[in-house]
Amino acid sequence: MFDERRRQEALEELGILDTPRDERVDRVARLAKEMFGVPMVSVSLIDRDRQWRKTEIGLGADEAPRQDSFCDYTVRQDRTVVVEDAALTDLFADNPFVSGDPHLRFYAGHPLHAPGGEPIGTLCVLDTEPRTLTDAQLDLLRDLAFWVQSELANDAELDHAAVIQSTLRPHAHPQVPGYTIAGGSVSRGALAGDFYDLGMHDGALRITLADAMGKGTGPALIAASVRASLRTAPERGLAASIAEVDRLLEEDLGDTAMFVTAVHAEMSPTTGDLDIIDAGHSLAFILRADGSWEHLRSTSLPLGMGMGLQPPEIREPRNARLEPGDAFVCCSDGLLDVLDPDDPYAHVYRVLTELGPDGAIREAMGLATAEAATDDITVIVVRRDR
């Protein structure tokens, strides 16, 4: 039975309404847009008389009336709703969102739930042209919605797991002539599942940063298993290593809807050539010597999420090169909370320029205790000095 009073209370208890946009939620929306090939995506929360969008692509407004909204219907149904052609349905043909702006024809939404199970909003993909979805795409929509839901929830209990945390940190960083290599990871009073790894294999530098969904011992153990898998057979190439992790996560955790975002890279110190596989992480960059930034964006799914797709997703490395003075920078999303919100790139550039990679890592670790910090912070910097 739909309980509007309790649903509204659960939404308000989360404290999300009218908060600023969040890069974690934004990147799920971007990924949904790319994977479904739609012009519009929204993470909508259903308030008393409005639908407020935590993030949106292509809709141009942060909120709209709740009355007659497709998302309100999805929340009330508390199930996945797909409308292949709204103009041909009795329920939606005369809907103002169909007859007027944005002239919707296709809608697919999955409900988002508060920790107590109350439906509070949706992740939806929309188009002005009719569409159909395959079963695999419906599964993908549900998985992405669960990802958004986990980012929005704020009641997860954090625990202390210092032993596991220590196993996820390299005890020493490789020494490579002509390069400065630095990395660090610190928890915000608990273990969140971030980890990084740096090591040499056959003269190449292997770089890994990963973030298991959620906080606590469970994600930490998943992160540890991912790290172990990537380290078990270093002779495997990047694509083969990532494919093996995908397979293990699907076999062992396929029914838990848990997943891991990751960057796995290999660099040739001789040439500076960098091969990168980004699995849904999208927080890897090259800071060029002239101060410009190259964002190594990803449209690939997180590890453990794409194995059910037909055909299966094949991740191929992206190629880049570090020239003298360039730095490869990769971080977990916890760093986003503590950077200058008006110009995060300038903040990172200034710190790297003034303090160098090692000093920048120390500063980032110190920011984990700042009031703005809400999550663990993990950062890697590899700078080519000559």
Side-chain angles (χ1 to χ4, degrees), residues 286-294 324-327 349:
I286 294 178
L287 172 57
R288 297 297 181 186
D290 62 4
S292 63
W293 286 85
E294 180 180 347
D326 294 346
Y349 177 72

Side-chain angles (χ1 to χ4, degrees), residues 30-274:
R30 291 195 299 266
L31 191 58
K33 181 179 184 296
E34 295 293 335
M35 298 305 298
F36 287 93
V38 294
M40 294 173 282
V41 179
S42 178
V43 173
S44 297
L45 300 175
I46 301 301
D47 199 6
R48 297 182 187 278
D49 57 1
R50 61 172 179 157
Q51 53 176 340
W52 178 79
R53 297 169 181 139
K54 179 65 175 174
T55 190
E56 58 81 22
I57 298 174
L59 290 166
D62 290 337
E63 63 180 68
R66 175 178 178 177
Q67 184 177 3
D68 298 320
S69 73
F70 286 67
C71 291
D72 182 47
Y73 178 78
T74 301
V75 164
R76 291 180 181 278
Q77 296 294 309
D78 197 13
R79 61 176 176 82
T80 304
V81 171
V82 178
V83 182
E84 296 181 348
D85 189 344
L88 301 182
T89 67
D90 293 336
L91 185 60
F92 293 108
D94 297 326
N95 187 285
F97 295 100
V98 177
S99 59
D101 189 58
H103 300 285
L104 296 179
R105 295 289 294 277
F106 168 79
Y107 170 92
H110 187 78
L112 306 173
H113 296 93
E118 302 86 357
I120 58 170
T122 69
L123 168 67
C124 61
V125 293
L126 313 100
D127 203 342
T128 56
E129 301 292 334
R131 285 175 171 267
T132 59
L133 294 185
T134 65
D135 289 343
Q137 287 175 313
L138 287 172
D139 289 340
L140 175 60
L141 181 64
R142 285 190 287 267
D143 286 344
L144 291 174
F146 188 80
W147 185 0
V148 171
Q149 182 176 300
S150 70
E151 297 289 4
L152 296 179
N154 68 350
D155 74 331
E157 292 186 1
L158 306 182
D159 57 32
H160 298 275
V163 173
I164 297 176
Q165 179 90 47
S166 66
T167 67
L168 301 179
R169 296 173 180 166
H171 297 293
H173 296 153
Q175 301 297 310
V176 181
Y179 291 82
T180 301
I181 300 170
S185 182
V186 63
S187 64
R188 174 65 174 175
L191 187 67
D194 293 5
F195 81 88
Y196 78 98
D197 204 10
L198 295 161
M200 300 297 296
H201 176 68
D202 288 341
L205 175 67
R206 282 280 177 96
I207 306 164
T208 305
L209 189 149
D211 187 354
M213 182 196 68
K215 299 178 177 68
T217 304
L221 292 174
I222 293 170
S225 67
V226 170
R227 179 178 182 271
S229 176
L230 292 174
R231 276 194 159 201
T232 298
E235 68 277 1
R236 290 193 302 237
L238 295 181
S241 298
I242 288 294
E244 177 66 8
V245 173
D246 249 344
R247 184 187 66 80
L248 290 173
L249 289 177
E250 179 69 14
E251 288 182 357
D252 296 341
L253 301 167
D255 59 349
T256 69
M258 298 192 74
F259 48 85
V260 179
T261 67
V263 172
H264 193 44
E266 185 171 272
M267 188 198 71
S268 167
T270 303
T271 63
D273 288 335
L274 190 65

Side-chain angles (χ1 to χ4, degrees), residues 169-170 173 182-186 194-196 198 209 330-332 361-362 364-365 377-381:
R169 296 173 180 166
H173 296 153
S185 182
V186 63
D194 293 5
F195 81 88
Y196 78 98
L198 295 161
L209 189 149
C330 187
C331 66
S332 63
I361 295 297
R362 287 193 297 271
M365 301 302 97
I377 295 176
T378 302
V379 188
I380 294 172
V381 179

